[in-house]
Amino acid sequence: MELVQQTPDLSAYLAADDVIDHHHPLVRETAARLAKGVADSYEYARAAFEFVRDTIPHSADSGDMRVTWRASDVLAQGTGICHAKAHALTALLRAEDIPTALCYQRLRHDAGTGHCVHGMVAVRFHGSWHRQDCRGNKPGVDAQFSLDGERLAFTPDPQSNEMDYPVLYAVPHPAPLHILQAAPDRAHLWENLPDAL
């Protein structure tokens, strides 16, 4: 699948906003801590990916009912669903001048009802985009940071109406973001995730 930038302006994939708030002191401090002792931007990107994947539990896996969506809040509260974790990783990567996009899949909802939109990131290295999934590993899920072939959490099954969305967004897509921002708790969020973009 060919990945397509939403905007041709690469600087858009380095920008900060209310959600990807990499100007926030906590994001800056976390990025500086992760950058210590790494040799280059590739090693930093892998360290940031593993930090978000492994130290911030996916709230559905951990049972945490809190809902986060702003990158700094994900880091402060240490919880979030895939979209929130993708926002945190995007902020940490952009804080170190690594172009990062938000990207999505349509998957069967693991609650067993219909489909939902799953959030990930893509990083730009060597003139190409590489998708990464920091949702957090669990039995049956083994996502790894890779620039040499994708090692994502999930592979969509077209026969089940699952799909990869090819667009690389500079800002979070409004469909999942608005539901994250409005949800009073994860139970509500889980029942109201969009089933498509």
Side-chain angles (χ1 to χ4, degrees), residues 27-130:
V27 177
R28 288 287 179 191
E29 290 162 19
T30 306
R33 190 173 72 249
L34 291 168
K36 276 190 182 152
V38 300
D40 54 29
S41 59
Y42 169 80
E43 278 192 23
Y44 172 81
R46 184 173 46 77
F49 169 86
E50 291 176 354
F51 172 80
V52 174
R53 182 194 65 189
D54 297 342
T55 69
I56 299 172
H58 189 291
S59 56
D61 296 348
S62 66
D64 196 320
M65 295 307 286
R66 294 175 294 168
V67 175
T68 54
W69 53 267
R70 183 179 286 115
S72 58
D73 291 339
V74 176
L75 296 176
Q77 296 184 41
T79 189
I81 67 164
C82 58
H83 300 284
K85 293 183 66 166
H87 299 164
L89 180 55
T90 299
L92 289 171
L93 293 171
R94 291 183 183 182
E96 291 293 314
D97 295 320
I98 298 170
T100 308
L102 294 146
C103 50
Y104 302 91
Q105 293 175 317
R106 181 178 194 248
L107 302 171
R108 282 177 300 216
H109 201 303
D110 62 10
T113 55
H115 292 79
C116 67
V117 174
H118 174 62
M120 305 181 298
V121 307
V123 294
R124 190 167 178 88
F125 278 99
H126 313 302
S128 298
W129 289 100
H130 306 269

Side-chain angles (χ1 to χ4, degrees), residues 4 10 20-21 33 35 52 95 111 121 123 126 144-145 187 190 193:
V4 180
L10 201 57
I20 312 299
D21 58 341
R33 190 173 72 249
V52 174
V121 307
V123 294
H126 313 302
Q144 303 294 327
F145 186 83
W190 220 233
L193 284 170

